[in-house]
């Protein structure tokens, strides 16, 4: 394993990751695609631990998009089975380490068994006061915006930027500071379209199963080196009182 870099002085409070490249990782090894997804679970476990150690407060990962239903049926079935098994194996460890787990996405398209599994996992980790882990499952950024607008319409509330923001599926956490996509592609693929408006983007050529602590530190170092202006000028930022990091 590559040696991890020193942790940057500026640590993003919220990191979001598009975990891409599992299938290609498996194909290069002449393995079935599901083998890549299994290895991807190992990488996620490693990333959760690394984020907690580095002081990241929120980690949001893209596990299964609303478009992934279009993949071959055997792969979709394998992913659902992998998720069910991962819940049973990983939740006790998350609970022990104080990680609070939430699943974000449309649940009505999932089996009753899967829906119950997600609810039970959330309940088991609800007291976690450490890292907040959001797993976007059957999620799409356009779905998120549409469901927020629909919820406001049902309640008869005016649709504004503020009200939409509060109705989003990730309203319980701040917007991501850093969005990482692995696998070499340079797009966000319908992930956090609303929330990533001012996220710093880092695209890694590493396939997700190969994304280790050193790769995470490289992305965090790139983030720390950037100036986040949020529409202001560099001179305005220099003249303003420095806010606390985090």
């Amino acid at each position: 394993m590559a040696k991890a870099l020193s942790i940057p002085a500026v640590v993003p409070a919220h990191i979001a990751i598009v975990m891409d490249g599992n299938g290609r990782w498996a194909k290069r090894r002449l393995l079935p695609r599901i083998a890549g997804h299994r290895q991807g679970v190992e990488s996620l476990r490693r990333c959760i631990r690394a984020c907690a150690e580095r002081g990241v407060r929120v980690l949001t990962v893209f596990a299964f998009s609303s478009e992934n239903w279009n993949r071959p049926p055997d792969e979709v079935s394998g992913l659902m089975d992998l998720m069910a098994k991962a819940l049973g194996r990983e939740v006790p460890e998350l609970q022990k380490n104080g990680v609070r787990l939430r699943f974000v996405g449309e649940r009505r398209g999932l089996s009753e068994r899967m829906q119950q599994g997600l609810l039970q996992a959330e309940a088991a980790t609800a007291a976690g006061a450490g890292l907040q882990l959001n797993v976007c499952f059957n999620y799409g950024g356009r779905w998120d915006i549409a469901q927020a607008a629909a919820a406001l319409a049902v309640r008869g509330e005016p649709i504004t930027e503020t009200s939409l923001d509060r109705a989003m599926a990730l309203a319980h956490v701040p917007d991501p500071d850093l969005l990482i996509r692995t696998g070499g592609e340079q797009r966000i693929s319908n992930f956090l379209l609303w929330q990533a408006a001012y996220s710093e983007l880092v695209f890694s050529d590493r396939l997700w199963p190969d994304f280790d602590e050193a790769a995470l530190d490289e992305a965090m170092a790139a983030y720390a080196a950037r100036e986040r202006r949020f529409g202001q000028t560099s001179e305005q930022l220099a003249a303003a009182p420095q806010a606390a990091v985090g």
Side-chain angles (χ1 to χ4, degrees):
M1 182 183 296
K3 182 180 178 181
L5 303 176
S6 58
I7 301 172
V10 180
V11 175
H14 183 176
I15 295 178
I17 304 179
V18 179
M19 306 181 294
D20 192 26
N22 293 334
R24 281 173 285 159
W25 183 92
K27 184 177 180 180
R28 291 177 184 178
R29 290 160 177 78
L30 304 180
L31 297 171
R33 289 177 61 86
I34 196 63
H37 294 300
R38 291 193 190 100
Q39 191 61 38
V41 174
E42 298 299 320
S43 292
L44 178 55
R45 181 188 296 118
R46 188 167 59 217
C47 187
I48 292 168
R49 182 174 61 249
C51 283
E53 291 172 349
R54 286 151 178 75
V56 176
R57 296 204 295 266
V58 183
L59 174 63
T60 299
V61 297
F62 206 5
F64 188 86
S65 78
S66 49
E67 289 78 27
N68 285 157
W69 293 107
N70 297 320
R71 291 192 174 188
D74 59 337
E75 183 174 354
V76 173
S77 176
L79 285 168
M80 293 298 155
D81 184 58
L82 182 62
M83 171 60 82
K85 291 178 179 177
L87 288 175
R89 186 175 65 248
E90 304 297 333
V91 167
E93 189 70 15
L94 296 176
Q95 188 178 24
K96 184 178 76 172
N97 293 325
V99 176
R100 180 166 187 178
L101 174 62
R102 289 185 175 95
F103 290 94
V104 180
E106 176 56 78
R107 301 196 187 187
R108 286 177 294 182
L110 304 175
S111 69
E112 183 64 27
R113 179 188 173 199
M114 180 63 73
Q115 291 185 46
Q116 287 302 312
L118 302 187
L119 286 172
Q120 290 169 7
E122 289 177 329
T125 62
L131 179 73
Q132 305 294 291
L133 173 62
N134 301 302
V135 176
C136 292
F137 193 73
N138 197 22
Y139 172 88
R142 291 178 175 177
W143 164 85
D144 198 359
I145 295 170
Q147 68 82 26
L152 293 175
V154 167
R155 297 198 293 263
E157 296 182 27
I159 296 176
T160 66
E161 284 192 28
T162 299
S163 64
L164 268 176
D165 191 62
R166 290 173 179 168
M168 289 287 165
L170 278 166
H172 58 280
V173 293
D175 289 344
D177 302 295
L178 170 62
L179 191 154
I180 303 168
R181 180 176 183 140
T182 65
E185 305 289 357
Q186 297 190 11
R187 57 180 178 269
I188 60 175
S189 296
N190 198 23
F191 183 46
L192 306 183
L193 297 182
W194 178 274
Q195 297 87 348
Y198 276 98
S199 300
E200 296 298 324
L201 307 181
V202 170
F203 299 103
S204 172
D205 288 332
R206 295 199 193 200
L207 303 178
W208 175 245
D210 294 327
F211 192 84
D212 58 12
E213 294 87 345
L216 176 66
D217 288 340
E218 288 169 5
M220 291 175 61
Y223 167 83
R226 298 181 187 180
E227 181 181 69
R228 306 188 74 202
R229 295 191 296 274
F230 297 98
Q232 295 183 305
T233 65
S234 298
E235 291 74 18
Q236 285 177 300
L237 292 178
Q242 292 300 307
V245 175

